[in-house]
Amino acid sequence: MSEAKSAIDSFLNHKAETGMQCGNYSIDIPELKQGQQYRFHFDMTACVGCHCCEVACNEQNNNPADVKWRRVGEMETGEFPDVLQLFNSMSCNHCVDPECLRGCPTNSYIKLDNGIVFHEDETCIGCQYCTWNCPYEVPVFHKERGIVTKCHMCVDKLEAGQTPACVQACPAGAISIEVVDTEEWIKNDMAKEGVAPHLPDVSITKPTTRYTLPDIPEGKDIRPADEHILKPAHSELPLVFMTVLTQMSVGGFVALFLGELLHLFGLDLPAPNIWMVIAVLLPAAIGLPLSALHLGRPGLAITAMKNLKTSWLSREAAALGAYAGGVTVLAGLYALGVPEWLKLLVEVPIVALGVYGIYAQSMIYRIKARPAWDRKSTTLRFFGSGYLGFLLVAVILAMTGEARSVLALMAPMLMFGLYQMHLIYEETVFYKYLDKEHPLYYQLSRTKKLLEEHFGHLKKARLMSLALFAIGLPMVSIVFAAANMGGVAAFILILALIGAMASELIGRYLFYVTVVPLGLAGNFFAGNQRG
């Protein structure tokens, strides 16, 4: 009995002498001064990988098993029997410059005075943009509630002088709460103490978590324990259709605008008519509501425009919504038979809104947390899909016997189609010669594997269908249009439009399912992203 008491006393004395916070309900940390905030400290030398912190966090916050605000990643290095196993317990890093906050379209993230990045559940629409933006994949989509949730450092407990649940539960004392001077941290310490193996570049969000790392032999390759697991990302089917349809609509409207401009300048070409306007409006009218199916709370979709200042998603929603409204007004002007100069005057801002909307749409995906998306080619592809709109207008012209206009429209349409082919070639070359020294080689090489192995058949189908329907059949239609065989040309163009549409949908599907995000290495058990 005395030996057991002695052991307990020894442990309690050790905790008192070292300042360990585990198992203590009270926490003794200084009050925050100007420029300071709370942060986590994680001691990788102490963590034994028991996952008690995960369990305690879920119990404290009443989360289901697949929603984890704190996760334990596993890594290893060496060869048997000389093996070193590493664990990293990570929740929100309560960054100085959080990407989740900047990108949120509903302003549902707040940086509290104590530095904690807090998520307001009430205003969240479940768009999950923050789950893409965060390089640590911290925000978690809660399917039952239809919103995103995340760690708030048990702020209510902290303000009451108590330790967060994960800190209390850790048997090894590997997790603790500290106060940090953010300016000093960013300037002098973050690059040394804010890093751990296989974590994203700290410059992206300026995380505040401090790490104590074990001595790792120089040159040792530290492997994520889950590197043998490679799953496709979520297909995001509503967004597949929405993005392609809106790009098709804007492309078609640009074709109408050019036609109106050429006709006004006196070229012997027919002016656009109301049916063409309705035809290019229809894809946007279908596509934009589809985007609401991606949301956890579609009834609040209108609030996605609240953060025009910093969120590309808000800008996209506002611009494309205004674009669709403008095209609807224009259709009314066509029905009223107003003068051409007035219609052209109205079309100028509509074109600008549509083009900006597609640019904003592409910038939603130009994020550092998803390397395969964060490329210039993403923006170029989104604009390139606009050839579908040119093809749609060409179908209407062919059906109404305007062969000369079809011929005029086919030239830019074929240029767009060829450029889409070029972008596929550029992607193929990029991955073929991917440098192993590239800082994002791990994620990009896995995207390459998904493209070439898991979805190799779809990639081939995408390439072949693009060549046939965006280039081959339109070229054949030119021959029949030139021979004044409008009916045959129209039939061929209808086939081309259907096939090209399918090709673009396949391409966009691949865009979503093959992206490999940054995040926590060895994150076996996290169900934080939809799969």
Side-chain angles (χ1 to χ4, degrees), residues 129-353:
Y129 187 28
C130 55
T131 69
W132 293 352
N133 266 22
C134 175
Y136 304 96
E137 292 194 292
V138 163
V140 188
F141 182 63
H142 196 303
K143 189 175 181 179
E144 293 176 11
R145 299 177 63 190
I147 62 171
V148 168
T149 59
K150 66 174 287 293
C151 158
H152 43 56
M153 204 184 276
C154 292
V155 62
D156 51 338
K157 294 168 67 68
L158 204 58
E159 290 176 345
Q162 299 177 3
T163 47
C166 57
V167 175
Q168 290 181 15
C170 179
I175 311 171
S176 57
I177 299 295
E178 298 178 340
V179 170
V180 59
D181 184 296
T182 54
E183 187 175 337
E184 179 71 18
W185 169 250
I186 294 170
K187 184 178 179 180
N188 298 320
D189 301 324
M190 183 176 69
K192 296 179 291 185
E193 300 181 53
V195 297
H198 286 283
L199 283 187
D201 187 342
V202 292
S203 67
I204 301 175
T205 60
K206 299 177 178 60
T208 61
T209 300
R210 181 172 73 90
Y211 285 93
T212 297
L213 303 177
D215 292 328
I216 301 171
E218 189 174 345
K220 283 286 187 180
D221 179 33
I222 300 176
R223 303 177 299 274
D226 63 348
E227 65 177 355
H228 60 288
I229 302 173
L230 181 59
K231 297 190 300 181
H234 195 271
S235 60
E236 310 293 357
L237 286 179
L239 298 182
V240 168
F241 281 90
M242 186 277 282
T243 54
V244 171
L245 287 169
T246 51
Q247 290 153 25
M248 176 183 183
S249 176
V250 172
F253 193 82
V254 169
L256 288 187
F257 175 71
L258 293 175
E260 192 82 68
L261 199 62
L262 292 174
H263 182 74
L264 191 65
F265 285 166
L267 272 72
D268 188 19
L269 293 171
N273 57 54
I274 187 172
W275 300 112
M276 294 180 188
V277 177
I278 292 173
V280 299
L281 172 62
L282 198 57
I286 296 172
L288 289 174
L290 279 178
S291 63
L293 298 179
H294 166 73
L295 305 179
R297 300 169 74 187
L300 298 178
I302 191 68
T303 63
M305 293 181 263
K306 285 172 64 176
N307 187 13
L308 293 173
K309 185 176 180 180
T310 63
S311 174
W312 283 110
L313 199 155
S314 286
R315 295 166 184 169
E316 177 220 27
L320 290 181
Y323 159 79
V327 179
T328 304
V329 170
L330 184 66
L333 295 180
Y334 268 85
L336 294 172
V338 301
E340 287 186 14
W341 65 267
L342 180 57
K343 288 185 287 188
L344 189 65
L345 197 64
V346 173
E347 287 170 3
V348 171
I350 297 175
V351 167
L353 283 167

Side-chain angles (χ1 to χ4, degrees), residues 427-446:
E427 178 187 69
T428 302
V429 171
F430 173 79
Y431 286 113
K432 182 178 181 180
Y433 298 104
L434 187 61
D435 187 355
K436 289 189 176 182
E437 299 303 315
H438 194 294
L440 300 172
Y441 177 79
Y442 181 78
Q443 287 78 22
L444 291 172
S445 64
R446 290 166 78 82

